[in-house]
Structure formats: structure tokens, C-alpha cells
Amino acid sequence: MKYKLLATDVDDTLLPSAGGISDRVRTAIGRAQERGVLVTLASGRTFGDTSKYARELGIDLPLISHQGALVKHPLSGEVLYEDLVPIETMREVVLFCRERDYHLNVYIDDDTFMEKTGAEFELYSVLSRKVQHPVPDLLDVLTRMPTKFIIVSTTPEATEAVLPLVREHFAGRVSVLRSHPLLIEGVTPTVSKGRALAVLANYLGVRQMETAAIGDNENDMEMLVWAGLGMAMGNASANVQAVADCVLPPISEDGAAYGIERYVLADEQHGC
């Protein structure tokens, strides 16, 4: 039995930090779809951003966005799964970050709000490739439950220093992970790309052993572990590679395309 469902991360898996998705990756995804493989995206990006890349790749399945907090169909708008951060918890996050002068972005639906501009603001604008909305007071925009928050640092060293402090303070209430060397993201403890992929596979009638996943960062780890075949990019950190079934070439060498060609499009289903 071949793999029937492939979920792939976007940033640094399909999409390099500069430039667009390569022709080889596009071709590999197209070939998989032609062979009947169900292909979806599993991203930390907003649903709108994830949908944009899905359209580029001809993907019309429900998409996993916001680190797995939302599984939604790009055409019908049907929401298969949603898991939001309680407003009171996010209020505490805002105050925590204010006291420590951390650059905090709060996501509500597909909009990103922050109080601070400056170097982190400019940096995140480049990384996210999306419009941001500075506001005088983040507490005022918390009229609806957010999907997640992001703390932006200007150096990997700053991220390393902040990460354990946020994890300790919000232990049990927020799942805190590093989605990029400069980004710390927080979602509810029950959110992960792995859980979202399980929801999607069940919806599509695909067994766990028939799923494959590709990713590169800590936010992809649960997805790689849950999938029948978990493939880590060669540019992934050592701990991400350690939980994967196999390690692909880096994004600079079209590792995602290699994984699809070598394992998903193989005549017989097999591991690495």
C-alpha cells in the first residue's frame, strides 16, 4: 500500500528564506497529486498565507495552519478543527512580555497585532512576508480568542535565553516552541501539527501508516513522529532529525522534492 496522504511544512521546507518554491518541488508535488496522493500543507503561518501557497501548488484539501490550531478547507471554508488560546491567558502573556520588553505578536484570526515596532518588527515583516498591525495596547484587541502568539528576537542567542523563561512561566497553560531560530510561538497545550494531521487523516479516511510528512523545525516534530513516514529536512536541527524516520537533503538541494520522489512516489511503500 502506497502513502495516500502527504503533509508538508512550508517555510524552510518548501519555501526558502529568499526566493520562491523551486520548479523541482512544484513538479514533485504535481506528480504525487497525479498519482492520487492527497497533498496538504501544515504551516505555522496564518490560514490566509497557507492558502496562498496552496493555490500556487494546486492544493485544494483542508489545510493545517497556525501550528495546527486550525484545520480548514480553502474552498468551502469548512472548519474541521480549531483550538484557541483563552483570552485571560493571552492577557497574562501580554503583561509578561511588556514587563520584560519582549517583542510580542498576537494572532487573531488571520491578523497580526503588536505594540512595538523597530528591529523585530522589520525582521518579522521579512520573515512572514505579510502585513502587520501595530496598536497602542494589545489588551484592547483581545475581544476574541487568539490562535497563537509569537515572540520575536533579533538573534538566536536571545531566543535561547527567552525560551525557557516563557516555558516555565506558562507551563501547563501554553505550549511554547521554537518555530525558527528567531521565533518563539505559543499555542494551547493540545495544539500540534501532529494532532491536526491525525484529525485530517481521519476526515479523509486515511490510516496513520498511510501518511507521510516533511518538516524542518521543532514545531514539526510531533507531525513527523505521528506520520507513518516522517521526513526531516537536511537543514533541520539535530533534535528534529533525531525523531524522523529519515533525513532528506537540505532545502538548498530540494530535499522535499527528493523525499517525494524517493519515498512517496516509489512503486512500493517502504521506510528510509
Side-chain angles (χ1 to χ4, degrees):
M1 185 68 67
K2 299 175 182 177
Y3 295 109
K4 294 182 177 180
L5 172 61
L6 169 67
T8 175
D9 174 51
V10 176
D11 291 287
D12 297 320
T13 297
L14 303 182
L15 183 70
S17 56
I21 300 171
S22 75
D23 290 340
R24 183 181 173 189
V25 168
R26 293 174 186 276
T27 298
I29 288 175
R31 287 180 59 204
Q33 292 169 318
E34 290 170 2
R35 292 275 294 271
V37 178
L38 301 171
V39 181
T40 191
L41 302 179
S43 177
R45 287 176 175 265
T46 65
F47 175 74
D49 282 349
T50 307
S51 298
K52 178 180 69 175
Y53 293 109
R55 288 192 296 272
E56 273 191 38
L57 296 166
I59 294 171
D60 58 5
L61 290 180
L63 305 173
I64 298 168
S65 61
H66 291 290
Q67 306 298 0
L70 179 66
V71 183
K72 183 176 178 179
H73 202 292
L75 301 183
S76 68
E78 177 187 6
V79 175
L80 277 62
Y81 175 79
E82 188 175 49
D83 194 352
L84 306 178
V85 181
I87 289 177
E88 285 308 310
T89 300
M90 189 60 77
R91 287 181 180 274
E92 186 175 342
V93 172
V94 171
L95 296 175
F96 176 87
C97 291
R98 265 190 201 162
E99 291 171 3
R100 293 156 181 81
D101 200 32
Y102 296 158
H103 184 97
L104 175 68
N105 291 357
V106 175
Y107 278 75
I108 300 176
D109 296 327
D110 268 14
D111 292 321
T112 312
F113 301 93
M114 70 291 301
E115 293 174 346
K116 298 178 62 178
T117 55
E120 292 91 346
F121 178 90
E122 298 300 330
L123 177 64
Y124 191 69
S125 294
V126 173
L127 290 174
S128 66
R129 309 185 192 189
K130 71 187 304 292
V131 175
Q132 303 180 75
H133 305 285
V135 295
D137 190 339
L138 278 172
L139 297 178
D140 290 342
V141 303
L142 294 178
T143 58
R144 290 169 292 152
M145 292 172 66
T147 48
K148 67 177 182 180
F149 66 84
I150 294 180
I151 297 173
V152 185
S153 301
T154 55
T155 67
E157 292 75 19
T159 304
E160 289 288 345
V162 171
L163 185 60
L165 301 179
V166 181
R167 280 179 171 163
E168 179 180 4
H169 190 89
F170 293 99
R173 293 179 293 155
V174 176
S175 177
V176 180
L177 50 89
R178 180 174 43 204
S179 60
H180 181 277
L182 304 179
L183 305 179
I184 294 170
E185 302 205 19
V187 291
T188 64
T190 48
V191 164
S192 76
K193 290 185 183 182
R195 181 185 290 267
L197 179 56
V199 168
L200 179 57
N202 181 67
Y203 172 82
L204 296 172
V206 176
R207 294 180 296 170
Q208 183 176 1
M209 64 181 293
E210 296 170 331
T211 64
I214 309 174
D216 74 292
N217 223 312
E218 288 184 8
N219 59 331
D220 298 312
M221 291 174 67
E222 291 191 42
M223 178 174 72
L224 299 185
V225 170
W226 188 87
L229 177 67
M231 296 174 278
M233 297 290 288
N235 47 282
S237 61
N239 58 339
V240 177
Q241 294 186 15
V243 303
D245 296 303
C246 60
V247 177
L248 308 175
I251 189 169
S252 59
E253 299 175 17
D254 289 327
Y258 174 89
I260 296 170
E261 295 160 357
R262 176 70 179 83
Y263 302 110
V264 177
L265 292 176
D267 291 334
E268 298 294 333
Q269 178 175 333
H270 57 78
C272 301

